[in-house]
């Protein structure tokens, strides 16, 4: 869940070797818009999913590869009792201090980049039909947009995002609003989209839209193959 911003500018430069070999789909959307719901459904249909948010969590879980450097930089007080990053504490710190955000990103971004690359290569080698990169701040990062072939934005009204995230992550409204403000506006995100998935209805409606998206990407793959 993108309740912090530690993974948001991971650059995809190492992935450029895959361009033209397999459709590269970017999947983004504001906090709580439904990116995970969409990527889970695409994964069930056979897509290769690389979730940079999940990777950011894995590397900052107990024994995660980022934890020794985080402890060294910020002190043991930013670890919880299990040895994971204390997300609430770190979120408060990076919102208050840009230099702390920078220090955190200098630790996490290279590790996220490496793992993103590894997972993409492995999925490609397995023969998945296309790759989906779930990147919460894809639009904000800029660098992803040159790499991907197709940008899918999951969208819903801000009020729906706020309600979902308050429920799911047990955050106060003001905290969710703060995160929303740090992200691109809906308008800016939608302006970059090749396709928008509206996710304000039921999960069954979302499933039907995801099925259509899957077919569309398979069609793109066919066109890519016939033009190569
Ligand atoms: P984040 O940016 O925080 O990682 P996200 O964009 O990945 O969030 P999800 O985790 O997919 O969003 O969805 C946020 C919450 O809303 C989850 O609890 C999910 O189960 C719920 N949700 C998503 N879509 C729907 C829907 N169409 N109907 C009901 N609940 C939904």
């Amino acid at each position: 869940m993108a309740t912090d911003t530690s993974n948001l500018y991971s650059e995809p430069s190492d992935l450029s070797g895959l361009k033209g070999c397999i459709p590269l789909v970017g999947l983004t959307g504001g906090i709580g818009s439904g990116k995970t719901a969409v990527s889970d459904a695409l994964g069930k249909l056979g897509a290769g999913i690389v979730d940079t948010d999940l990777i950011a969590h894995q590397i900052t879980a107990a024994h995660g590869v980022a934890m020794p450097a985080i402890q060294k930089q910020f002190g043991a007080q930013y670890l919880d009792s299990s040895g994971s990053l204390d997300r609430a504490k770190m979120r408060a710190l990076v919102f208050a201090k840009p230099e702390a955000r920078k220090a955190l990103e200098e630790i996490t971004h290279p590790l996220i980049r490496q793992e993103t690359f590894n997972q993409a290569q492995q999925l490609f080698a397995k023969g998945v039909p296309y790759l989906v990169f779930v990147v919460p701040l894809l639009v904000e990062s800029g660098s992803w947009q040159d790499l991907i072939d197709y940008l899918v934005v999951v969208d819903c009204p801000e009020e729906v995002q706020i309600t979902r995230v308050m429920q799911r992550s047990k955050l106060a409204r003001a905290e969710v609003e703060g995160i929303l403000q740090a992200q691109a506006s809906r308008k800016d995100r939608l302006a970059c989209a090749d396709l928008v998935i509206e996710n304000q209805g039921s999960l069954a409606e979302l499933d039907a839209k995801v099925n259509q998206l899957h077919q569309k990407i398979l069609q793109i793959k066919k066109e890519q193959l016939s033009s190569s």
Side-chain angles (χ1 to χ4, degrees):
M1 325 291 156
T3 48
D4 65 12
T5 51
S6 56
N7 70 326
L8 301 170
Y9 296 99
S10 51
E11 288 174 21
S13 52
D14 290 330
L15 293 165
S16 53
L18 289 173
K19 195 151 173 95
C21 302
I22 181 169
L24 304 175
V25 178
L27 178 65
T28 194
I31 183 166
S33 56
K35 297 177 292 295
T36 306
V38 170
S39 63
D40 283 353
L42 286 172
K44 284 187 187 137
L45 292 169
I49 309 295
V50 182
D51 187 334
T52 62
D53 199 24
L54 193 62
I55 292 171
H57 274 70
Q58 286 165 347
I59 66 168
T60 53
H63 310 296
V65 287
M67 293 315 295
I70 287 176
Q71 180 166 351
K72 190 164 174 222
Q73 175 75 33
F74 296 98
Q77 69 270 31
Y78 285 91
L79 275 60
D80 67 17
S81 56
S82 74
S84 305
L85 177 65
D86 184 331
R87 288 175 210 292
K89 221 169 184 179
M90 184 58 79
R91 188 166 50 241
L93 180 71
V94 300
F95 270 116
K97 292 190 174 172
E99 66 278 14
R101 177 187 301 275
K102 190 165 175 282
L104 179 65
E105 288 175 352
E106 279 171 4
I107 295 168
T108 56
H109 286 185
L111 297 169
I112 293 168
R113 198 151 51 230
Q114 184 60 49
E115 183 58 18
T116 298
F117 177 68
N118 292 348
Q119 290 189 12
Q121 287 290 343
Q122 284 164 12
L123 288 164
F124 176 60
K126 260 174 73 178
V128 295
Y130 60 91
L131 289 169
V132 177
F133 297 95
V134 186
V135 186
L137 293 196
L138 189 149
V139 167
E140 292 83 339
S141 86
S143 52
W144 275 94
Q145 292 190 46
D146 292 336
L147 174 87
I148 55 175
D149 299 313
Y150 202 71
L151 178 56
V152 177
V153 171
V154 189
D155 183 61
C156 65
E158 285 191 355
E159 198 48 43
V160 176
Q161 289 177 262
I162 292 168
T163 308
R164 282 183 188 155
V165 177
M166 284 174 67
Q167 266 177 11
R168 182 200 60 197
S169 304
K170 310 285 174 253
L171 293 178
R173 169 174 279 270
E175 283 181 279
V176 185
E177 286 174 347
I179 295 168
L180 273 170
Q181 270 165 24
Q183 300 189 339
S185 69
R186 265 177 98 186
K187 188 165 160 262
D188 288 348
R189 204 180 287 113
L190 292 172
C192 302
D194 294 305
L195 188 118
V196 178
I197 296 215
E198 300 284 354
N199 180 29
Q200 59 195 91
S202 67
L203 285 169
E205 284 171 74
L206 182 64
D207 247 8
K209 289 176 185 174
V210 169
N211 270 296
Q212 284 173 5
L213 172 64
H214 177 67
Q215 294 306 328
K216 203 166 191 156
I217 303 170
L218 291 181
Q219 186 59 35
I220 292 175
K221 182 181 174 74
K222 244 190 204 165
E223 287 160 15
Q224 200 176 63
L225 283 175
S226 64
S227 70
S228 65

